[in-house]
Amino acid sequence: MILKLDHIYKDYIQGKMVVPVLKDVSLHVEEGEYVAIMGPSGSGKSTLMNIVGCLDRPTKGTYELDGQNVLSLNDKAMAAVRLGKIGFVFQNFQLLSRQSALENVALPLVYAGVRKKVRKERAKEALVKVGLEDRVSFKPTQLSGGQKQRVAIARAIVNRPKILLADEPTGALDSKSSTQLMELFQKLNDDGVTIVMITHDPVVAGYAKRVVDIFDGEISERSPAAKEGINGNCGEESE
């Protein structure tokens, strides 16, 4: 089991009011799985992603990542877990505009203390995996939206993380770029990368092998028949 969330609650304080966002959420993900978490705006999916990504702590509950109780760690140790075990892909790419594609991809390796020569080699390898070997020296302003997101994916996988977290990765892309990107995620998963993807789009969720719904802070597993229905919709949309 690569990811094990049990009985997770997350509350926020607004003035004197306690606002519950996540309510008794349990989610287990096996190594090599591809899971989509679907929900509308305000459902709690981004809060859940922040907890899975060790960017936030729950109010209550337990969380094990790769067999480690991450909630027992201090902030510095948790940051090390984020760097070494989790790759992030965000909707708006979050690339450094003055840095080349290669330099953007190599950034996590800088933080990890990897030597410059090795950084360059591994960053190039990651760009090859996402089909951008001919864009190594390009800056973000010279890339299309789909290419920017491919650079972001290369950056996310360059540290060889245990799990890849994608938060609405196609939200800023057109339909053609979205389809190409989802095919890339599928290829990465076929190569053994564990993926957890947050989305509100059933077409995007259709690429996952498992779908979990979140609504009003509670999650439910999609039945196999319902999952087949999503795949059918996905096929229709992509024709």
Side-chain angles (χ1 to χ4, degrees):
M1 190 75 63
I2 193 72
L3 187 155
K4 192 176 180 184
L5 288 165
D6 284 305
H7 306 295
I8 294 292
Y9 291 80
K10 181 63 179 180
D11 301 332
Y12 290 103
I13 307 298
Q14 291 185 354
K16 294 183 179 180
M17 289 182 59
V18 176
V19 180
V21 179
L22 297 179
K23 309 164 188 175
D24 198 19
V25 168
S26 294
L27 176 67
H28 296 177
V29 177
E30 298 281 357
E31 189 165 3
E33 275 201 281
Y34 184 169
V35 180
I37 300 175
M38 276 194 71
S41 178
S43 60
K45 61 184 187 293
S46 291
T47 300
L48 178 59
M49 177 67 89
N50 287 340
I51 290 172
V52 172
C54 297
L55 295 166
D56 197 5
R57 295 175 185 266
T59 304
K60 187 168 65 173
T62 62
Y63 176 24
E64 290 184 9
L65 179 63
D66 196 27
Q68 184 175 25
N69 176 10
V70 294
L71 299 182
S72 68
L73 303 175
N74 61 29
D75 289 347
K76 184 177 180 181
M78 192 174 270
V81 169
R82 282 197 303 272
L83 178 64
K85 295 189 176 183
I86 304 171
F88 294 92
V89 181
F90 300 100
Q91 178 176 335
N92 294 318
F93 322 131
Q94 297 192 3
L95 301 177
L96 298 178
S97 60
R98 297 184 179 181
Q99 305 295 313
S100 68
L102 185 74
E103 290 166 331
N104 269 285
V105 172
L107 196 58
L109 301 175
V110 175
Y111 295 137
V114 176
R115 290 184 298 111
K116 187 174 181 179
K117 182 180 179 182
V118 178
R119 289 201 306 262
K120 189 174 181 180
E121 290 171 354
R122 283 177 55 181
K124 280 184 177 179
E125 288 172 6
L127 285 167
V128 169
K129 280 188 177 180
V130 302
L132 288 181
E133 58 268 30
D134 59 343
R135 296 291 189 272
V136 168
S137 61
F138 283 47
K139 293 184 179 179
T141 53
Q142 299 171 296
L143 300 172
S144 68
Q147 289 170 339
K148 289 176 187 176
Q149 194 61 293
R150 284 172 179 267
V151 172
I153 292 170
R155 180 184 58 194
I157 64 174
V158 74
N159 238 0
R160 298 164 186 166
K162 288 288 185 177
I163 187 167
L164 184 62
L165 301 184
D167 191 357
E168 300 283 7
T170 63
L173 303 179
D174 59 39
S175 58
K176 181 179 179 181
S177 296
S178 295
T179 299
Q180 291 172 344
L181 195 73
M182 296 316 300
E183 289 170 352
L184 174 58
F185 276 114
Q186 193 166 336
K187 182 178 182 299
L188 290 171
N189 181 245
D190 290 343
D191 290 342
V193 178
T194 305
I195 299 173
V196 175
M197 182 174 295
I198 296 284
T199 183
H200 69 279
D201 187 342
V203 175
V204 170
Y207 284 86
K209 294 174 181 174
R210 218 177 114 202
V211 180
V212 174
D213 291 298
I214 183 166
F215 184 77
D216 197 23
E218 299 179 273
I219 67 171
S220 58
E221 195 86 12
R222 190 70 64 95
S223 70
K227 174 63 174 68
E228 285 301 315
I230 283 185
N231 280 334
N233 291 338
C234 183
E236 290 169 11
E237 289 287 339
S238 61
E239 286 177 357

